[in-house]
């Protein structure tokens, strides 16, 4: 009796690219004539890492469900497996005649980097071609940064990859179950607010931004409470790939070309600023691609050992739970912990406060922020942690004054009262510095500093003075300037000349950070 032929198949491995649109690997696989297995593997070891969280998976769960449907509409539903990617590939190879694997390049953290190397070894050992395609504006094996922006812009100008007309179905394969949070995490925490995942939600957010919210973008970007509404809110969709950067770039360009001139006039500056942030987003991810070690090592090695030995666990716990005694700091952290998003200035302020007022190491604080950010993007995350902690050697050290930030961005204290209800009866005169109230004023405001609400962990001026002195000691070390130049040559932007580092470097307060140094938001 003639044995039934084993079907030839290609695998499209989805990672942080959860869409069928503008997806070069999927398009290429669809044109081979083989059966196509769209594959996502929920890698248990990844989700056990200290940067991963239930919030991330909640966004992914919705995105995977929509991706499964979109793939099914093309002829073959998304196949989901749990466990190790190489084990999943081995099982599929036993069942089918595996011809090739298609995937996007991923610039992730050290864990995904090592995982990708294991997959490459598996492919070589099994003589399976592994076809990788560039992702976003990140250039793999870049010789230097001199012409990076030209290549990035060239990619953004290319046409959107057409969605496949269909996928040849694969017979006899179990699509698998998309795991719930409780199946991924052994002891899941309560997942509070999570921005809606999925392609449809991403498109709705993009449309509402360009058609109605962008005019207020720059005006409201730094104000907590308002920024939630008027910032783009696209960052998690770009992080997990329900939208591609190129799609967003094309949408913005189309809007600028076809919008009513009168309407556009009020949005032009905001659109340009947002387009610039998209470029800087790629710039920061490129840093991690060029030097993966920045996940856990200071860009400028002279800063190693600066804070690690002085870690104060009580300070860290108070910071991450919004109990520092500084109302605006605490309101921002509690807002972030609940919503999974806060605007860039407030992110930078939280890191600055932890790094200078509390003298906490960025590697410690970075794990908590990675878990609560729905849009945790490794390339942006670690670069910004280091910038706001002052350990890059090529960026001006900026120390935020939490009281001034509070007065500037929450003058009436409405945001503070919303997120720090212990202070809801404190008047606007004292809401920014409630510890200055006398006993009678505290009694009238129904708060007791040091009891119902904590006293400040540190005094800002003295803490910052000490931090500046410690930083200055590093700047004065022999060879610091030469090492800074090497960092710039490897990782610095070529748009402008860097500020000089070394003996003459000044430590400034960051009351108004440069927009081009901002996290994408």
């Amino acid at each position: 009796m003639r044995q039934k032929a084993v079907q030839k198949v290609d695998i499209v491995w989805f990672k942080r690219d959860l869409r069928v649109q503008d997806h070069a690997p999927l398009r290429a696989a669809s044109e081979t004539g083989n059966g196509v297995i769209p594959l996502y593997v929920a890698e248990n070891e990844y989700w056990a890492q200290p940067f991963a969280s239930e919030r991330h998976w909640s966004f992914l769960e919705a995105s995977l469900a929509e991706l499964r449907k979109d793939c099914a509409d093309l002829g073959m539903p998304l196949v989901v497996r749990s466990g190790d990617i190489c084990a999943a590939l081995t099982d599929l190879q036993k069942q089918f005649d595996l011809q090739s694997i298609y995937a996007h390049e991923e610039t992730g953290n050290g864990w995904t980097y090592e995982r990708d190397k294991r997959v490459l070894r598996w492919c070589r050992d099994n003589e399976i071609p592994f076809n990788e395609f560039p992702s976003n504006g990140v250039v793999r094996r870049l010789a230097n940064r001199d012409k990076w922006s030209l290549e990035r812009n060239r990619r953004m100008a290319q046409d959107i990859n057409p969605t496949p007309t269909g996928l040849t179905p694969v017979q006899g394969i179990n699509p698998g179950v998309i795991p719930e949070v409780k199946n991924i995490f052994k002891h899941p925490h309560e997942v509070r607010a999570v921005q809606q995942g999925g392609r449809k939600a991403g498109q709705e957010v993009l449309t509402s931004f360009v058609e109605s919210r962008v005019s207020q973008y720059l005006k409201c970007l730094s104000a907590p409470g308002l920024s939630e509404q008027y910032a783009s809110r696209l960052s998690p969709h770009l992080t997990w790939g329900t939208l591609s950067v190129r799609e967003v770039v094309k949408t913005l360009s189309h809007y600028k070309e076809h919008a009513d001139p009168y309407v556009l006039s009020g949005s032009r500056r905001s659109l340009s600023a947002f387009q610039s942030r998209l470029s800087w987003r790629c710039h920061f991810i490129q840093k991690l691609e060029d030097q993966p070690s920045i996940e856990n090592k200071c860009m400028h090695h002279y800063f190693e050992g600066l804070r690690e030995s002085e870690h104060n666990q009580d300070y860290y716990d108070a910071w991450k739970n919004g109990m520092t005694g500084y109302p605006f700091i605490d309101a921002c952290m509690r807002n972030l912990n609940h919503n999974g998003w806060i605007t860039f200035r407030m992110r930078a302020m939280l890191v600055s406060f932890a790094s200078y007022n509390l003298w906490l190491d960025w590697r410690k604080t970075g794990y908590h922020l990675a878990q609560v950010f729905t849009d945790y993007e490794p390339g942006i995350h670690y670069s910004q942690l280091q910038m706001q902690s002052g350990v890059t050697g090529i960026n001006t050290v900026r120390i935020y004054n939490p009281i001034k930030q509070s007065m500037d961005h929450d003058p009436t204290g409405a945001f503070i009262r919303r997120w720090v209800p212990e202070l809801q009866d404190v008047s606007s005169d004292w809401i920014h510095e409630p510890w200055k109230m006398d006993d009678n004023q505290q009694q009238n405001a129904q708060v007791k500093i040091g009891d119902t609400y904590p006293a400040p962990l540190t005094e800002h001026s003295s803490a910052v003075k000490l931090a500046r002195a410690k930083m200055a000691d590093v700047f004065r070390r022999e060879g610091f300037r030469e090492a800074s130049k090497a960092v710039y040559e490897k990782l610095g932007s070529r748009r402008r000349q860097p500020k000089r580092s070394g003996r003459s470097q000044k430590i400034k307060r960051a009351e108004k950070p440069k927009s081009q140094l901002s996290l994408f938001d």
Side-chain angles (χ1 to χ4, degrees), residues 137 148-158 279 495:
W148 169 80
S149 62
L150 294 176
E151 174 60 20
R152 184 263 178 193
N153 293 339
R154 184 189 68 81
R155 290 185 183 179
M156 294 302 107
Q158 291 175 338
S279 179
R495 277 190 172 183

Side-chain angles (χ1 to χ4, degrees), residues 99-149:
Q99 298 293 297
S100 191
I101 297 173
Y102 294 80
H104 273 121
E105 296 170 347
E106 179 180 5
T107 303
N109 46 50
W111 190 93
T112 61
Y113 180 58
E114 294 299 324
R115 181 273 318 275
D116 285 353
K117 291 196 293 186
R118 288 193 295 108
V119 171
L120 285 172
R121 287 195 296 270
W122 185 93
C123 289
R124 284 197 298 267
D125 292 344
N126 291 274
E127 298 182 340
I128 302 295
F130 186 43
N131 306 290
E132 282 190 295
F133 294 76
S135 180
N136 300 316
V138 178
V139 182
R140 185 152 290 184
R141 293 174 288 276
L142 186 68
N144 59 64
R145 292 300 295 259
D146 292 348
K147 295 183 179 181
W148 169 80
S149 62

Side-chain angles (χ1 to χ4, degrees), residues 322 327 330-331 334 415-424 453:
D330 294 341
R334 295 184 194 185
F415 181 77
I416 291 173
R417 293 187 190 91
R418 177 182 176 188
W419 292 102
V420 188
E422 306 97 302
L423 303 178
Q424 60 185 344
Y453 181 71

